[in-house]
Amino acid sequence: MSDNTKQILQSVIVTPNSVVIVINGNQHQMEKTHHNYSKVIDALNEDNTEVLEDLFDTRKAVAYYSDGNVTVQDGQVFYRGEQLHNSNVNRLLTFMREKLPYKPFVRFLDRLMENPSRRSVEELYSFLEHRGISISMDGHLLAYKAVNSDFRDYYSGKIDNSVGNVVEIQRNEVCDDASFGCSEGLHAGSYEYAKGYGRDGGHLLRIKIDPKDVVSVPHCSQCQKLRCNRYEVLEVVETMVDKTLDDKYDVSSDLQGSDTLTNAEEMSLTQ
């Protein structure tokens, strides 16, 4: 809580898609898709009214923070001075308030806003919801890709996906229409999607994608795959990876003046 005022819960309305409460005469509403929704329900079930108001106000995170072109000030997020409004902003503020590693997410937003397509930016939000998608310390997406036994792509058999390679094509060669499931472009996916796509003794790779290079997220397969024009092959994996690939990353600058980032682990988007 932000002060010592006693929290008096006056009413609660829970619908299939939202919850509405009134505390001390102030009404608060939260959609079921909000990151704090389950915590609000738990607090209500436990009669823990002391935490409810803060759970609804994720803007009470930090007074000021800036990294690159992204600035957080008084619970609002700005990119080059323009205020942002999207689901990732809410997620960032939630991470800040709950003292989770938020700085990789700030860097991710900075890179994402460099994507020239508004539609690509909006479509990427659906992809980020899937289990196993992480953000590296420098703000890149970490996703998965299945290749054949010779580390070539399954479609053409020509693209070399050996570990360490950077694969790149022109952006305008990639299909930007999300209504087309299979089309031109470099493909990646969630762990579950990529694992299911692999066959015939092939390899499962973990790859690194700059958010600005994402072109489209097809509606098929529950938005579990994306098309991009560039990625870097990081490693061969057998299972979903939750360890950092940034063991040499210098976090000293992050730790200075902050008690939030406590290790060099990459940030999972499914927290």
Side-chain angles (χ1 to χ4, degrees):
M1 290 191 331
S2 57
D3 54 41
N4 294 322
T5 304
K6 181 176 178 58
Q7 304 297 293
I8 300 175
L9 181 62
Q10 295 168 297
S11 69
V12 178
I13 300 175
V14 179
T15 73
N17 298 312
S18 66
V19 57
V20 180
I21 68 171
V22 176
I23 295 181
N24 295 352
N26 298 315
Q27 179 173 301
H28 304 273
Q29 181 172 344
M30 181 179 290
E31 299 300 316
K32 192 173 183 178
T33 55
H34 194 285
H35 289 280
N36 279 349
Y37 182 83
S38 61
K39 294 182 180 180
V40 168
I41 298 301
D42 289 342
L44 289 171
N45 288 334
E46 297 167 3
D47 293 324
N48 188 2
T49 60
E50 299 303 307
V51 303
L52 278 173
E53 195 162 39
D54 280 353
L55 285 173
F56 277 87
D57 190 2
T58 56
R59 294 176 301 174
K60 296 177 181 177
V62 292
Y64 182 86
Y65 177 73
S66 181
D67 193 328
N69 296 304
V70 177
T71 300
V72 181
Q73 186 169 7
D74 297 327
Q76 297 176 319
V77 181
F78 300 87
Y79 178 78
R80 294 181 177 175
E82 296 292 327
Q83 187 175 356
L84 299 180
H85 300 277
N86 56 57
S87 61
N88 279 325
V89 167
N90 294 333
R91 184 183 283 117
L92 168 61
L93 294 174
T94 298
F95 270 67
M96 286 178 145
R97 180 184 174 279
E98 296 183 359
K99 298 188 181 300
L100 295 170
Y102 62 81
K103 296 182 182 181
F105 209 111
V106 173
R107 296 173 189 131
F108 165 79
L109 278 180
D110 197 1
R111 291 183 175 277
L112 178 63
M113 296 308 296
E114 293 180 18
N115 192 306
S117 169
R118 177 178 178 179
R119 182 167 62 180
S120 299
V121 171
E122 293 175 346
E123 289 174 355
L124 189 55
Y125 300 149
S126 298
F127 180 74
L128 297 178
E129 298 295 332
H130 292 288
R131 187 166 174 258
I133 303 301
S134 301
I135 293 178
S136 67
M137 293 297 296
D138 58 357
H140 286 74
L141 283 174
L142 299 173
Y144 298 85
K145 183 176 183 66
V147 295
N148 67 23
S149 59
D150 294 324
F151 289 91
R152 307 286 170 166
D153 65 292
Y154 278 115
Y155 181 74
S156 71
K158 298 178 180 180
I159 299 177
D160 184 2
N161 289 275
S162 298
V163 173
N165 278 6
V166 174
V167 180
E168 183 173 9
I169 60 176
Q170 293 296 317
R171 186 181 178 97
N172 59 14
E173 296 180 44
V174 183
C175 176
D176 62 358
D177 190 338
S179 65
F180 288 91
C182 295
S183 193
E184 296 84 0
L186 303 176
H187 294 77
S190 66
Y191 170 77
E192 293 298 332
Y193 178 84
K195 185 177 84 168
Y197 194 82
R199 60 184 184 275
D200 301 330
H203 304 286
L204 183 62
L205 308 176
R206 201 176 192 213
I207 65 175
K208 185 175 183 178
I209 307 169
D210 195 321
K212 71 181 178 63
D213 295 326
V214 174
V215 178
S216 60
V217 178
H219 299 152
C220 66
S221 305
Q222 298 178 322
C223 298
Q224 290 193 82
K225 67 177 180 179
L226 59 75
R227 288 190 284 262
C228 63
N229 68 290
R230 187 182 188 276
Y231 63 79
E232 177 185 356
V233 182
L234 297 176
E235 62 177 349
V236 178
V237 298
E238 299 293 334
T239 60
M240 188 168 65
V241 180
D242 58 7
K243 70 177 181 63
T244 182
L245 289 172
D246 298 282
D247 294 319
K248 297 181 180 179
Y249 185 84
D250 181 10
V251 299
S252 59
S253 61
D254 283 349
L255 294 173
Q256 291 175 359
S258 172
D259 60 356
T260 302
L261 188 59
T262 57
N263 55 55
E265 292 295 310
E266 68 202 21
M267 189 176 75
S268 172
L269 287 170
T270 54
Q271 296 191 47

